[in-house]
Amino acid sequence: MTIKIAQERHRYIIQEIRSSGSVSTLDLARTLRVSGETIRRDFAYLEQQGFLHRVYGGAILTDLKVTTEPGFHERRAINPHAKSEIGRTAAELLNDETSIFIDVGTTAETIAAALPPAMEGNSIHKLSSRGRSPPLPQQGRDYSHAWNSKPGREVR
């Protein structure tokens, strides 16, 4: 197939990238029978229009661009009222015989913060698969009896 008109190539490239998520400069050049440089110019134009993101050897959908997740402190500011409500509701489900495991994350942090003081002497456990969550003592509570468990080791 030979497509010499830029607008037609652009439509074809957009169709291909939407169907597969990525396209190769070399494959498109061969399929459309144009030079790699022509495809790279098409990519530059389509990237400027917001349809794709150029990567080495081709292009990917704009939605597939690598993004960074907000940091822990930024995530704390996202839906704080809902997280507090989740924490309060979870804490209300606990009793004196309850043992819990708390994973990492800002919502889990609100659960730890909402635990009733009476539970401080009971079996409260924090399971951290990556160790990225601030330690429970930062909650201003005494969790010296809790186990902080990480893959391959346990820390008392």
Side-chain angles (χ1 to χ4, degrees):
M1 143 187 347
T2 304
I3 300 178
K4 296 291 184 186
I5 299 172
Q7 290 172 328
E8 291 177 17
R9 279 195 319 274
H10 295 170
R11 274 194 290 271
Y12 181 83
I13 291 169
I14 291 167
Q15 177 186 342
E16 288 298 304
I17 203 165
R18 284 184 176 158
S19 69
S20 65
S22 65
V23 290
S24 160
T25 304
L26 184 58
D27 290 344
L28 284 174
R30 285 181 183 157
T31 301
L32 300 176
R33 296 185 181 179
V34 295
S35 71
E37 193 55 41
T38 297
I39 297 299
R40 284 187 279 281
R41 281 193 300 272
D42 290 342
F43 285 170
Y45 173 79
L46 292 170
E47 183 176 44
Q48 185 180 26
Q49 300 302 308
F51 289 106
L52 57 81
H53 177 70
R54 292 181 289 171
V55 295
Y56 183 81
I60 59 174
L61 272 175
T62 301
D63 296 335
L64 297 179
K65 281 196 295 190
V66 176
T67 59
T68 57
E69 183 176 331
F72 194 84
H73 296 291
E74 289 94 8
R75 289 194 318 272
R76 272 187 182 152
I78 299 171
N79 296 320
H81 300 294
K83 291 176 185 181
S84 293
E85 185 61 30
I86 290 168
R88 276 193 301 277
T89 302
E92 289 172 5
L93 297 173
L94 307 176
N95 62 47
D96 289 344
E97 302 299 315
T98 303
S99 291
I100 62 171
F101 291 89
I102 301 175
D103 201 354
V104 299
T106 57
T107 304
E109 179 184 54
T110 65
I111 295 170
L115 293 174
M119 290 205 67
E120 288 183 13
N122 294 331
S123 300
I124 299 174
H125 301 276
K126 177 176 187 265
L127 175 63
S128 176
S129 60
R130 293 187 205 115
R132 294 185 185 269
S133 185
L136 288 174
Q138 287 186 6
Q139 298 300 320
R141 310 276 293 280
D142 176 21
Y143 294 103
S144 57
H145 60 281
W147 282 89
N148 185 358
S149 182
K150 297 181 183 186
R153 64 185 173 148
E154 286 188 9
V155 181
R156 179 100 182 176

